[in-house]
């Protein structure tokens, strides 16, 4: 049964409730959710739930109807997020685990790890004990394999996973691994499940090759009942009458399990198909069907692999798969997990030559802020206004790249425009905030947009024939063009880029409109400053960072995103919660959800009350009554 505790339960009341349940033979687990704390009580004993309901501090009691209890959605509505170092699996993320079937040598693992990490894999796999169908096939390197896997993982900053095949290896695997894998053949090895569960280390539990979904969830229940909270379910194909593929990958299991259980579900398309050419299509199908991640066999030289070569991807196939996943992630509103931190292996040569030294890796990222655009862009001005001149502003190609750089840890911060006082919200940035649950807002900077007309040495306004700028820049200076009909406005993809362009051509009949900072960067002269029609032209930038980063200044604003139920008055109810809690709304904007036609999300900024708990309580209230909410961060805003 599930015992939902009252918000104001005292520690001693909680302890008494636990003792009461344990005295009646229940195993009790406390689960602290974002909105409420619950106790999960599991046991064979049937007792009248009313006896529990009347205990002080108990809000309500809900019986669980499924044979699996701790693993069920009934017990826990929110997705479980399994944390492995800085990597998160579950809850709107796609995490890709990759590596060869078996650890064969140090060189093989280093080559594999380099390629996988470069392409965006976050965990390194490799079997040290191989459960092979034939006793004459390669059985794995044993402890030596675990050692190589651990050392390679450490060198490349990747957590490692390997299969545990028997209870006698529990201590060994605990010491070497970040994640233990229970293989398909051992899914119902209950003694192993009990021992591994008791370690409370993250576990990947593969589906037995002839197991029903319920049997699979019961195996997860074994792990959980013995103490493990961090379980990742892995669909790897089941036995059917079909012989063309090694197994039949049960894609439909993904949405089924996601409904029944809060545990993350990943998919292994390598064992699922057994055929290299079928791995990527099935991997994409799995992601599209809602998988929280993948486990893919990748070998630097599959033709020489000691096991499962025919189903192992070549590194370049893996790279292509990762790019494809990245392309579909926004449609699924999901973030492709990245390894945080700033370890970058400098070159392929260093791996091939076998010396990836500490010094070559670990270029420091502190003091760097990514922005979209070229040097001299207004976003760069925002970076320097917010952080000062000592910070290095790092140009990126797109807003998506800024988010990705921050997620990877290539830079600790990014600066992205969220709204212009004339043109309105930058919707792409809102979409990215929704897509990346591990990125939050930690600061805000307003920049007045003063458009300057610039040209090369010797030019004059009268001599200009063409003036380049971003279409928005041109539109915002339309009056200038009306007054100078002999000048033709020329659209360019970027304001600072327009300045770089005229600086390169060095033709005095060409001009550009941008911020004067761009003129300084590209050494061109300002012919006239402030040519915009409306001088009240401001852009607000958000400073973004990884989710664990604190706000940069004492915050006075909170940004949230929420969706509402499809019911009359649903939006009104959310706003009512904000009003009832005295949260003053500074902005409200609706936005279609990408990939879900005619579904909308709402972006709100509210004044942050002195007591932050008020905000937390309001978020909890919205979640339990009106819809889903995502806090996007706390930041300091200088007035409106
Ligand atoms: C493996 O992942 O290496 C493996 C042996 O998988 P499975 O247990 O799914 O066959
Ligand atoms: Mn294998």
């Amino acid at each position: 049964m599930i015992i939902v505790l009252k918000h104001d339960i005292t520690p001693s009341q909680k302890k008494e409730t636990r003792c009461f349940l344990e005295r009646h033979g229940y195993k009790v687990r406390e689960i602290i959710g974002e909105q409420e704390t619950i106790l999960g009580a599991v046991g064979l004993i049937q007792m009248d739930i009313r006896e529990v309901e009347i205990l002080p501090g108990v809000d309500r009691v809900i019986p669980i109807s499924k044979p699996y209890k701790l693993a069920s959605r009934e017990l826990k509505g929110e997705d479980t997020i399994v944390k492995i170092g800085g990597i998160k699996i579950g809850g709107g993320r796609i995490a890709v685990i990759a590596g060869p079937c078996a650890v064969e040598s140090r060189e093989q693992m280093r080559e594999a790890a380099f390629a996988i990490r470069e392409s965006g894999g976050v965990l390194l796999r490799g079997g040290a004990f191989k459960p092979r169908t034939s006793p004459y096939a390669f059985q794995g390197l044993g402890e030596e394999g675990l050692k190589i896997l651990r050392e390679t993982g450490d060198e490349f900053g990747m957590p490692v996973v390997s299969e545990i095949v028997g209870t006698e290896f529990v201590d060994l695997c605990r010491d070497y691994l970040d994640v233990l894998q229970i293989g398909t053949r051992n899914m119902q090895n209950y003694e192993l499940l009990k021992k591994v569960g008791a370690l409370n280390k993250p576990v990947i539990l593969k589906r037995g090759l002839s197991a029903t979904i319920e049997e699979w969830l019961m195996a997860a229940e074994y792990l959980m009942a013995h103490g493990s909270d961090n379980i990742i379910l892995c669909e790897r194909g089941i036995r059917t009458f079909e012989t063309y593929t090694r197994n039949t990958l049960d894609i439909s299991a993904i949405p089924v399990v996601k409904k029944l259980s809060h545990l993350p579900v990943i998919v292994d398309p390598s064992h699922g198909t057994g055929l290299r050419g079928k791995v990527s299509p099935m991997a994409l199908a799995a992601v599209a069907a809602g998988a929280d991640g993948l486990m893919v066999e990748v070998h630097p030289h599959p033709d020489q692999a000691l096991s499962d070569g025919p189903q192992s991807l070549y590194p370049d196939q893996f790279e292509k798969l990762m790019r494809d996943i990245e392309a579909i992630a926004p449609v699924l509103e999901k973030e492709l997990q990245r390894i945080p931190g700033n370890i970058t292996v400098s070159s392929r040569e260093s791996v091939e030559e076998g010396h990836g030294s500490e010094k070559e890796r670990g270029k420091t990222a502190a003091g760097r802020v990514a922005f979209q655009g070229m040097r001299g862009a207004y976003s760069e001005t925002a970076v320097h206004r917010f952080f000062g001149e000592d910070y290095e502003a790092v140009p990126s190609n797109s807003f998506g790249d800024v988010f990705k750089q921050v997620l990877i840890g290539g830079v600790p911060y990014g600066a992205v425009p969220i709204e212009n006082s004339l043109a309105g919200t930058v919707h792409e940035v809102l979409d990215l905030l929704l897509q990346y649950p591990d990125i939050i807002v930690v600061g805000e900077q307003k920049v007045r947009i003063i458009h300057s007309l610039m040209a090369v040495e010797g030019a004059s306004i009268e001599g200009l024939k063409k003036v380049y700028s971003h279409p928005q820049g041109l539109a915002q200076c339309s009056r200038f063009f009306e007054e100078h009909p002999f000048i033709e406005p020329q659209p360019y993809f970027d304001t600072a880029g327009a300045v770089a362009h005229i600086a390169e051509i060095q033709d005095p009949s060409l001009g550009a409109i941008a911020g004067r900072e761009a003129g300084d960067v590209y050494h061109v002269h300002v012919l006239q400053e402030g040519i915009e029609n409306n001088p009240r032209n401001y852009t607000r930038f958000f400073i973004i960072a990884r989710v664990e980063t604190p706000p940069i200044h004492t915050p006075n604003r909170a940004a949230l995103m929420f969706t509402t139920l499809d019911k009359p008055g649903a939006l009104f109810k959310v706003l009512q919660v904000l009003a009832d809690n005295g949260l003053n709304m500074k902005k409200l904007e609706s936005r279609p959800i990408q990939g879900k036609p005619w579904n909308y999300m709402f972006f709100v900024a509210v004044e942050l009350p002195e007591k932050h708990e008020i905000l937390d309580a309001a978020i909890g209230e919205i979640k339990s009554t009106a819809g889903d909410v995502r806090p996007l961060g706390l930041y300091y805003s200088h007035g409106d």
Side-chain angles (χ1 to χ4, degrees):
M1 66 184 113
I2 300 164
I3 298 111
V4 182
L5 303 177
K6 287 187 176 148
H7 286 293
D8 58 359
I9 187 170
T10 64
S12 72
Q13 285 172 336
K14 198 194 280 181
K15 195 162 165 225
E16 275 183 26
T17 309
R18 281 191 83 114
C19 290
F20 176 86
L21 292 162
E22 279 161 5
R23 266 203 313 279
H24 284 80
Y26 286 94
K27 277 198 164 175
V28 183
R29 297 283 295 280
E30 182 170 339
I31 298 164
I32 302 172
E34 275 180 34
Q35 303 144 41
E36 45 197 17
T37 299
I38 59 175
L39 296 178
V42 182
L44 292 174
I45 322 92
Q46 291 294 323
M47 76 181 287
D48 189 342
I49 62 170
R50 282 171 298 187
E51 282 186 57
V52 185
E53 229 152 22
I54 54 168
L55 295 175
V58 170
D59 186 34
R60 57 192 193 279
V61 179
I62 309 158
I64 303 176
S65 58
K66 301 281 190 310
Y68 44 89
K69 314 284 180 191
L70 298 169
S72 77
R73 269 266 180 227
E74 287 172 67
L75 180 77
K76 184 166 173 256
E78 287 166 24
D79 284 353
T80 284
I81 297 167
V82 175
K83 298 195 180 85
I84 305 152
I87 308 299
K88 294 187 190 129
I89 302 188
R93 300 167 181 83
I94 303 166
V96 180
I97 303 164
C101 179
V103 178
E104 297 166 10
S105 70
R106 193 171 296 276
E107 296 66 42
Q108 169 233 21
M109 286 310 292
R110 292 188 75 238
E111 260 191 84
F114 174 78
I116 290 162
R117 168 133 198 183
E118 283 276 295
S119 303
V122 287
L123 252 73
L124 185 63
R125 64 151 284 153
F129 299 93
K130 292 308 303 175
R132 305 300 298 277
T133 307
S134 162
Y136 309 116
F138 175 60
Q139 303 285 306
L141 297 182
E143 183 170 357
E144 178 59 16
L146 291 179
K147 199 159 169 246
I148 293 174
L149 179 66
R150 174 80 268 159
E151 286 171 7
T152 314
D154 288 347
E155 182 186 345
F156 289 84
M158 299 173 84
V160 294
V161 52
S162 194
E163 179 171 348
I164 175 163
V165 290
T167 49
E168 65 274 33
F169 301 115
V170 165
D171 292 343
L172 199 62
C173 289
R174 179 200 53 216
D175 293 347
Y176 281 108
L177 301 172
D178 300 298
V179 182
L180 278 69
Q181 177 177 323
I182 307 256
T184 196
R185 295 160 188 83
N186 274 312
M187 189 205 84
Q188 285 177 316
N189 180 341
Y190 297 118
E191 290 313 307
L192 182 63
L193 293 172
K194 288 183 199 170
K195 290 257 161 52
V196 170
L199 290 178
N200 194 17
K201 269 197 138 188
V203 179
I204 291 178
L205 177 63
K206 289 199 146 189
R207 179 178 181 181
L209 51 117
S210 56
T212 64
I213 287 173
E214 187 161 300
E215 286 164 343
W216 186 18
L217 291 172
M218 288 308 286
E221 189 74 13
Y222 256 93
L223 289 165
M224 297 188 87
H226 285 85
S228 188
D229 295 317
N230 299 300
I231 296 154
I232 301 155
L233 299 165
C234 179
E235 162 61 43
R236 47 81 68 205
I238 46 174
R239 269 294 157 84
T240 67
F241 51 81
E242 182 53 67
T243 54
Y244 186 86
T245 47
R246 180 172 172 180
N247 292 287
T248 298
L249 191 64
D250 185 5
I251 298 276
S252 61
I254 306 161
V256 171
V257 173
K258 291 217 61 89
K259 181 130 198 248
L260 296 175
S261 176
H262 52 85
L263 297 172
V265 182
I266 64 167
V267 169
D268 169 355
S270 308
H271 295 88
T273 61
L275 303 165
R276 182 180 304 128
K278 312 291 173 248
V279 168
S280 294
M282 294 314 279
L284 293 172
V287 169
D292 298 294
L294 298 169
M295 170 131 92
V296 185
E297 285 187 347
V298 177
H299 195 291
H301 310 284
D303 44 321
Q304 294 162 26
L306 297 181
S307 73
D308 286 350
Q311 69 189 33
S312 299
L313 293 186
Y314 284 90
D316 54 351
Q317 290 178 312
F318 180 66
E319 212 250 313
K320 160 89 170 59
L321 171 63
M322 292 303 289
R323 278 190 278 121
D324 288 348
I325 294 170
E326 196 166 0
I328 62 172
V331 181
L332 301 160
E333 282 171 53
K334 282 190 172 175
E335 166 189 296
L336 180 59
Q337 266 289 280
R338 303 282 177 175
I339 297 178
N342 50 21
I343 303 169
T344 45
V345 178
S346 61
S347 69
R348 186 176 293 276
E349 288 71 45
S350 77
V351 171
E352 280 165 5
E353 287 163 18
H355 51 73
S357 75
E358 277 302 315
K359 225 174 87 212
E360 278 180 305
R361 295 186 277 118
K363 241 183 115 201
T364 174
R368 285 155 54 86
V369 186
F371 69 95
Q372 185 272 326
M374 297 179 63
R375 293 288 327 281
Y378 289 109
S379 297
E380 184 175 358
T381 306
V383 170
H384 292 305
R385 296 260 172 91
F386 190 89
F387 289 98
E389 293 300 322
D390 289 345
Y391 271 71
E392 185 191 343
V394 184
S396 303
N397 288 333
S398 64
F399 295 139
D401 274 353
V402 174
F403 275 71
K404 205 163 97 184
Q405 275 302 315
V406 173
L407 190 68
I408 297 172
V411 290
Y413 298 109
V416 284
I418 183 74
E419 184 173 21
N420 176 267
S421 57
L422 302 177
T425 299
V426 183
H427 291 121
E428 193 184 340
V429 170
L430 277 190
D431 294 343
L432 286 162
L433 283 167
L434 184 67
Q435 190 195 327
Y436 283 79
D438 294 322
I439 301 277
I440 51 162
V441 179
V442 294
E444 186 199 76
Q445 178 66 49
K446 287 191 195 70
V447 173
R448 182 170 160 212
I449 304 298
I450 304 175
H451 289 313
S452 294
L453 175 65
M454 287 169 273
V456 295
E457 180 98 56
S460 66
I461 294 185
E462 292 69 35
L464 291 178
K465 290 202 175 82
K466 287 180 182 172
V467 166
Y468 295 88
S469 190
H470 186 274
Q472 282 232 3
L474 296 173
Q476 289 173 2
C477 302
S478 59
R479 203 170 307 142
F480 173 84
F481 288 103
E482 282 162 23
E483 287 162 7
H484 301 84
F486 53 91
I487 302 178
E488 198 188 324
Q490 288 284 317
Y492 206 80
F493 66 92
D494 182 79
T495 51
V499 180
H501 179 65
I502 61 157
E504 198 184 323
I505 295 181
Q506 288 288 321
D507 178 344
S509 72
L510 303 180
I513 296 173
R516 67 170 310 140
E517 285 83 354
D520 299 340
V521 171
Y522 300 106
H523 309 292
V524 298
H525 299 276
V526 174
L527 295 178
Q528 194 175 328
E529 190 160 15
I531 62 164
E532 64 275 8
N533 306 350
N534 186 340
R536 300 187 62 170
N537 184 354
Y538 296 88
T539 297
R540 284 196 309 132
F541 291 84
F542 271 166
I543 307 301
I544 57 167
R546 283 188 57 93
V547 67
E548 57 276 1
T549 317
I552 299 175
H553 305 298
T554 310
N556 61 359
R557 290 273 192 286
L560 310 170
M561 223 177 247
F562 64 86
T563 51
T564 58
L565 304 175
D566 187 13
K567 279 188 184 159
L571 174 61
F572 172 77
K573 276 207 179 125
V574 175
L575 301 183
Q576 183 81 56
V577 173
L578 296 180
D580 289 349
N581 284 283
L583 294 165
N584 186 25
M585 200 159 55
K586 303 299 285 184
K587 182 181 165 81
L588 172 67
E589 170 112 17
S590 75
R591 172 89 186 123
I593 300 177
Q594 288 195 349
K596 287 192 188 163
W598 325 125
N599 279 274
Y600 299 86
M601 59 156 164
F602 296 88
F603 171 85
V604 278
V606 295
E607 267 175 32
L608 185 65
E610 223 156 87
K611 286 188 183 153
H612 293 197
E613 308 86 74
I614 296 178
L615 179 72
D616 298 338
I619 290 174
E621 230 178 289
I622 295 171
K623 276 193 185 171
S624 56
T625 58
D628 197 18
V629 195
R630 246 262 318 281
L632 293 178
L634 308 179
Y635 57 95
Y636 178 76
S637 175
H638 297 266
D640 303 309

